[in-house]
Amino acid sequence: MTRSAEDAQRSPGQLASLLIDVSTEAVGAAGGHAGGVYLRSGTPGLLRLAVLTGLPGPLFRPWWRMHVDRPFPVADAYRLGVQVVLPNATETMRRYPQFAAGLPFQFGSLYVPVVGGTTTFGVLTVLCPSATDATELLHHRDRMVRLAEDLGASLRRLEDGGRSSVAWDGEPMCVRPPGTRPPAGRAGGFAWDPVTDVVTADERLPALLGMPADEFATSVQTLAHAVAPAETERVLTALRETATGRPPPLPLYVRSEDGALRLVELWSPYASPSPPGAPSGAHPVRGFVVDPGPGAAADAAADLLPEGVLCLDRLGLILYANPRAGQLLRRSRTQLLSRPLWEGVPWLNQPAVEDHLRSALLTPGPVRFRLERPGKEGGQGHPASYDSDPSSYEGSWLDVCVYPGRDVLTCTFRPANRVADGAADVAPQPVPLEPPAPASPAPPATPSMAPLYRPIVLAIALSEAVTARQVAAVVMREVLPAFGGRRLAIYLLQDRHLYLSWENGFPTGFLAPFEGVALDAHLPGVETLTTGRPIFFDSMEQLEAAYPGIALDADEGARAFLPLIASGRPVGSCILGFDRSRSFSTEERTVLTALAGLIAHAMEKAQRYESEAALARGLQQALLPRRLSAHPQVETTGRYLPGTQGMEVGGDWYDVVEAGDGLALVIGDVQGHGVQAAATMGQLRSAVRAFALGDRPPDEVMSGTNHLLIDLDPGQFASCCYIRLDPVSGLARVARAGHPPPLLRHPDGHTEVLDLPGGVVLGVDQQAHYPVSELQIDPGCVLALYTDGLVERPGVDIDDGITALRVALSKAGAPALRPSRRTLTGIADRLTALARHTRDRPDDIALLLATRRATEGTGR
């Protein structure tokens, strides 16, 4: 069970243990492959993976950090406070194509926000086997919700009891999934206090180490010696580093005195970095020692197999390797055992292999692929030398199969150009006098999709970016982390000069001298565009040698200059900067060149859109009313906020028109954005004004405007709400065409949603009918008309948004507020305050407020 809030409150050091317990319990409850907990970090808007259960951290490094505005399920769960259930890969691709492109495997997943009080701390997530639909996962989701609620309450109390907020800024803790640890009697736990150097152990550890309980070690030195006599210093180093808040990313595999394998897992109950109040460099350490047993019979049988066999645990540690695996991988068994796969066999650390291992960890079926071995000296493609190792003169291609299991992955290897045929292949062969004839070429390897994932993910993300700022933000988010970059500059071409459009990471003012450089300047950012070729520098020394006298922003670091060319037309240049020197592989150069093409097309599209947006903004500003018709007994005020995503302007409008001896209050919303929507809005506004000035009944105004829009046939439709108000009596007659219902705030603060009958949106049905409703607006009442941009949020029901607006309107005129905030203009400002401060508004917003003044001497 998870730790209680009381346990979590004892010390800030409970955070790590609390997260580990909740994560492992969630995986067990949902029957999942893996899971974890994302927590908010010290960087605003950035989530970090705090715990990863059941998966090797290095293979999932691209998902360690998550911006809350990314279109990913973790970000949505955190930002919107909603539960996300993805039963299978099809649903994942439909709802989150960027996420699916990065992990295109058959698995389901669940995401539940971790909330304590009014604070969202993070997200609890589990990856599980695919399901037919979401209903199959609802039971698991309900159990995760309870775990997330308990975790949120514990974190809330933990934060209230400390002096700082709960956050995570370190790397994730990688732990085993539930059910994979050996049964009781094969493991023992301990705790070490580095301040007093006192070690305490449970009753099982002395027995496991073969020591009487009354003679068990009481210091860390004697503990380390008892666990691994030949590796005492290694164990001591891990313990001391854990005490500083830096536990090893993977468990340690060590040898006992008789050579038996032992596993040591360590963790500090303090998060990294240390929370305020924690003793510096003296954090308590918890751990356990596991004796997995010799498994001699199984090992002996596998040792005789003619194919290579390698067994990994779910964190990537090599548990077993038979002699044939050592031959084919060109590593000794001592170089393989007890090491992470990517350390034991360094040349396997490549994107294609990582892709296949992720597939094996997340899907139930075996994964087969073909792999090219490097030469004997470790370099890819170098010919092997010939010696007594028979694998030296076997072909360079291997057939690999990875069989997934709940606790262990089994990998088999065999030469791809001939079939292993028994024990003869295992026994060493004499060195031939002459090199053997070259083996027949191996069939081409099944290509991995891993190198294509980055362009696919970027292409999907760029499809949603419209402005130049959004394009640059996507590049920062998707490209730089993938290649380890730290700096980005994007220049766009205008009148044969390059102008800086976006920069991040460069020293303040460093790029200023390069602003507006002409195309004849001897600079790499210019020449990459004029020649159409990317330019790569492994170090600053290379850059300075190629361009003597060029200003440098760092003592070291690689640079990539990429031309932005779309459909044969120059758009600009992109500069990627790295903090350290590095080389660029052929694959990386190819991928970066392809990415530059995607960025160029997106920037070209952004430039077109922004030009059209400027035209649309001018058109809309000319069409919106400069002033509202006034009446001595009626006060009105309006607000309009353009969207800040996409075209930035839409078809929302409001108006107040004299209608006989009354006033017509109008609000509408034309579907779509851009010049066409703004033009259609202008036509509808003019039509409604003409009908209103003639004092036509509300239903005739709606019907006439509907016929006009259908006759115009712009391929658009519009919603509208029209209210004819008698300022003297307060009688209002209302007609609605698919528009959100008005709100009415009474003088006592009670606010209601006017759920009045209405017809379909304008421009759809020639025969549409628009019923008229009547209501009474007393002096002091505030009538609110609005468009859906004010109440609609992704992932949130619009009725919830309307309810929130109703509550805000009820509070907006409260006596506790300053008089200036209780005026109609003050109320309008309060109702749109959140939207005004929202950086990315997906839709434009219109708001119209009206109130009746009391007639002197009558109270009406």
Side-chain angles (χ1 to χ4, degrees):
M1 293 299 291
T2 59
R3 297 179 181 272
S4 66
E6 290 75 17
D7 288 337
Q9 198 176 9
R10 292 176 185 170
S11 162
Q14 293 291 340
L15 178 61
S17 299
L18 178 65
L19 296 176
I20 290 172
D21 289 346
V22 171
S23 176
T24 53
E25 185 171 354
V27 173
H33 302 302
V37 179
Y38 281 87
L39 284 185
R40 61 187 184 178
S41 69
T43 303
L46 182 69
L47 301 177
R48 285 185 178 272
L49 185 61
V51 176
L52 181 61
T53 300
L55 292 174
L59 288 186
F60 293 84
R61 187 179 294 273
W63 296 271
W64 283 9
R65 296 156 41 105
M66 184 69 61
H67 288 274
V68 298
D69 59 350
R70 296 188 72 182
F72 275 57
V74 168
D76 276 0
Y78 180 86
R79 186 181 69 256
L80 304 175
V82 298
Q83 302 157 18
V84 179
V85 180
L86 303 174
N88 48 50
T90 301
E91 182 68 7
T92 303
M93 176 60 78
R94 185 184 70 82
R95 296 177 57 185
Y96 297 98
Q98 289 188 49
F99 178 53
L103 291 172
F105 311 124
Q106 293 295 328
F107 66 93
S109 54
L110 302 94
Y111 308 83
V112 178
V114 177
V115 181
T118 59
T119 302
T120 302
F121 291 99
V123 177
L124 177 62
T125 178
V126 167
L127 310 183
C128 55
S130 291
T132 304
D133 54 46
T135 58
E136 297 181 29
L137 301 181
L138 294 184
H139 175 65
H140 299 324
R141 182 204 62 184
D142 292 342
R143 297 182 67 182
M144 284 183 61
V145 167
R146 291 193 291 271
L147 288 170
E149 290 174 348
D150 291 343
L151 177 59
S154 297
L155 295 180
R156 175 76 272 168
R157 297 193 186 189
L158 185 62
E159 185 169 86
D160 290 344
R163 291 180 292 176
S164 62
S165 61
V166 171
W168 193 271
D169 286 296
E171 294 185 354
M173 299 178 291
C174 299
V175 298
R176 281 175 175 70
T180 64
R181 294 176 181 174
R186 305 300 302 172
F190 66 89
W192 171 49
D193 185 344
V195 175
T196 62
D197 195 29
V198 171
V199 175
T200 57
D202 62 22
E203 67 279 2
R204 292 174 295 179
L205 185 58
L208 184 147
L209 298 178
M211 299 176 61
D214 57 354
E215 297 179 10
F216 183 72
T218 57
S219 71
V220 70
Q221 179 77 33
T222 51
L223 170 69
H225 181 76
V227 170
E231 300 177 82
T232 300
E233 286 303 317
R234 182 180 173 213
V235 177
L236 279 174
T237 299
L239 284 163
R240 289 163 181 161
E241 289 184 349
T242 304
T244 65
R246 295 182 293 115
L250 294 169
L252 302 175
Y253 277 91
V254 296
R255 295 286 176 176
S256 65
E257 191 170 10
D258 61 0
L261 200 63
R262 281 178 179 165
L263 177 151
V264 181
E265 286 210 36
L266 304 172
W267 67 92
S268 168
Y270 283 89
S272 178
S274 304
S280 175
H283 304 335
V285 175
R286 293 173 57 187
F288 61 83
V289 181
V290 177
D291 180 359
D299 286 0
D303 283 353
L304 299 177
L305 291 176
E307 60 185 10
V309 178
L310 205 68
C311 294
L312 315 173
D313 72 0
R314 294 209 40 107
L315 296 188
L317 268 291
I318 301 174
L319 303 178
Y320 167 78
N322 71 350
R324 183 59 167 154
Q327 289 178 351
L328 293 175
L329 298 176
R330 294 172 180 152
R331 306 287 286 175
S332 68
R333 295 179 81 177
T334 57
Q335 291 175 309
L336 295 173
L337 292 177
S338 307
R339 299 176 183 270
L341 179 64
W342 35 91
E343 291 182 10
V345 191
W347 58 269
L348 289 180
N349 188 16
Q350 51 182 287
V353 176
E354 291 180 356
D355 170 35
H356 293 303
L357 288 177
R358 282 192 288 262
S359 177
L361 286 161
L362 296 177
T363 54
V367 176
R368 295 179 173 86
F369 58 98
R370 189 154 291 171
L371 181 67
E372 185 179 12
R373 295 184 297 179
K376 198 65 183 294
E377 300 301 320
Q380 190 79 7
H382 292 284
S385 60
Y386 298 101
D387 55 20
S388 59
D389 179 358
S391 72
S392 298
Y393 43 87
E394 291 173 327
S396 62
W397 290 91
L398 297 177
D399 278 328
V400 185
C401 187
V402 184
Y403 299 89
R406 179 171 178 81
D407 301 337
V408 176
L409 275 68
T410 302
C411 309
T412 62
F413 303 86
R414 67 172 65 208
N417 58 326
R418 67 188 185 109
V419 178
D421 55 0
D425 282 334
V426 179
Q429 301 294 321
V431 181
L433 297 177
E434 297 181 358
S440 58
T446 304
S448 168
M449 291 295 291
L452 299 179
Y453 288 163
R454 188 53 52 186
I456 290 173
V457 170
L458 182 66
I460 295 172
L462 288 176
S463 69
E464 301 173 357
V466 179
T467 67
R469 179 178 65 84
Q470 292 171 344
V471 171
V474 167
V475 176
M476 277 290 300
R477 197 173 61 217
E478 301 294 344
V479 177
L480 284 189
F483 293 90
R486 292 290 183 267
R487 303 178 184 185
L488 169 70
I490 294 179
Y491 285 86
L492 297 181
L493 182 65
Q494 182 179 353
D495 299 328
R496 296 189 58 78
H497 290 75
L498 287 173
Y499 295 92
L500 185 64
S501 173
W502 177 279
E503 65 95 8
N504 184 274
F506 286 92
T508 303
F510 172 75
L511 297 176
F514 305 102
E515 178 71 3
V517 296
L519 292 186
D520 58 356
H522 182 56
L523 293 169
V526 173
E527 294 186 1
T528 188
L529 179 62
T530 56
T531 63
R533 294 182 294 102
I535 305 174
F536 298 93
F537 297 101
D538 295 350
S539 65
M540 283 296 184
E541 289 78 7
Q542 285 188 6
L543 175 58
E544 189 175 24
Y547 295 87
I550 190 173
L552 303 178
D553 60 305
D555 295 332
E556 61 175 342
R559 291 291 181 269
F561 296 84
L562 308 175
L564 301 183
I565 299 175
S567 304
R569 293 186 297 274
V571 175
S573 301
C574 178
I575 304 172
L576 303 180
F578 304 83
D579 289 342
R580 298 179 181 178
S581 299
R582 55 158 297 171
S583 60
F584 296 90
S585 67
T586 301
E587 181 184 72
E588 287 178 320
R589 293 174 184 238
T590 302
V591 171
L592 284 171
T593 303
L595 295 180
L598 294 175
I599 297 167
H601 281 282
M603 278 295 183
E604 183 186 46
K605 181 182 69 173
Q607 290 177 313
R608 292 198 307 268
Y609 278 3
E610 288 173 350
S611 297
E612 185 179 348
L615 174 62
R617 280 194 298 271
L619 176 61
Q620 186 162 48
Q621 289 172 359
L623 293 174
L624 285 171
R626 296 184 180 273
R627 65 177 184 85
L628 302 177
S629 297
H631 191 281
Q633 291 179 251
V634 178
E635 180 187 357
T636 60
T637 189
R639 296 289 184 273
Y640 174 78
L641 299 175
T644 55
Q645 293 181 2
M647 290 305 302
E648 297 188 350
V649 292
D652 290 18
W653 92 95
Y654 61 86
D655 208 349
V656 179
V657 188
E658 295 180 6
D661 57 357
L663 286 178
L665 310 174
V666 190
I667 197 163
D669 182 1
V670 177
Q671 167 264 335
H673 298 84
V675 174
Q676 182 63 56
T680 302
M681 177 272 284
Q683 293 171 309
L684 293 187
R685 175 175 176 266
S686 298
V688 173
R689 284 187 68 88
F691 287 127
L693 289 170
D695 202 13
R696 303 284 292 275
D699 56 335
E700 293 186 19
V701 175
M702 288 292 96
S703 296
T705 309
N706 180 48
H707 292 157
L708 172 66
L709 185 57
I710 291 175
D711 291 342
L712 290 173
D713 192 25
Q716 293 176 304
F717 57 84
S719 66
C720 186
C721 182
Y722 181 94
I723 299 179
R724 201 279 188 187
L725 173 65
D726 183 341
V728 178
S729 67
L731 178 66
R733 305 184 72 234
V734 186
R736 285 198 304 141
H739 201 81
L743 303 179
L744 184 63
R745 183 187 188 278
H746 297 277
D748 62 359
H750 171 67
T751 305
E752 59 180 316
V753 179
L754 301 176
D755 191 14
L756 307 173
V760 298
V761 293
L762 306 174
V764 174
D765 182 5
Q766 187 87 28
Q767 306 301 320
H769 173 65
Y770 300 96
V772 177
S773 305
E774 293 186 353
L775 63 128
Q776 182 66 37
I777 301 179
D778 296 327
C781 290
V782 177
L783 180 68
L785 306 179
Y786 53 92
T787 55
D788 56 9
L790 188 59
V791 294
E792 207 166 29
R793 297 289 182 274
V796 179
D797 192 282
I798 190 172
D799 290 337
D800 295 336
I802 293 174
T803 299
L805 181 63
R806 177 185 63 78
V807 173
L809 178 60
S810 176
K811 296 178 179 179
L817 298 174
R818 298 192 305 271
S820 62
R821 306 300 297 274
R822 298 199 300 268
T823 64
L824 204 63
T825 56
I827 292 174
D829 289 339
R830 282 178 60 83
L831 295 182
T832 56
L834 178 61
R836 285 199 312 273
H837 292 92
T838 299
R839 186 180 65 179
D840 292 322
R841 292 189 297 271
D843 199 1
D844 47 348
I845 293 169
L847 173 70
L848 177 62
L849 301 181
T851 185
R852 284 182 64 219
R853 299 187 179 98
T855 304
E856 291 186 16
T858 66
R860 294 187 57 82

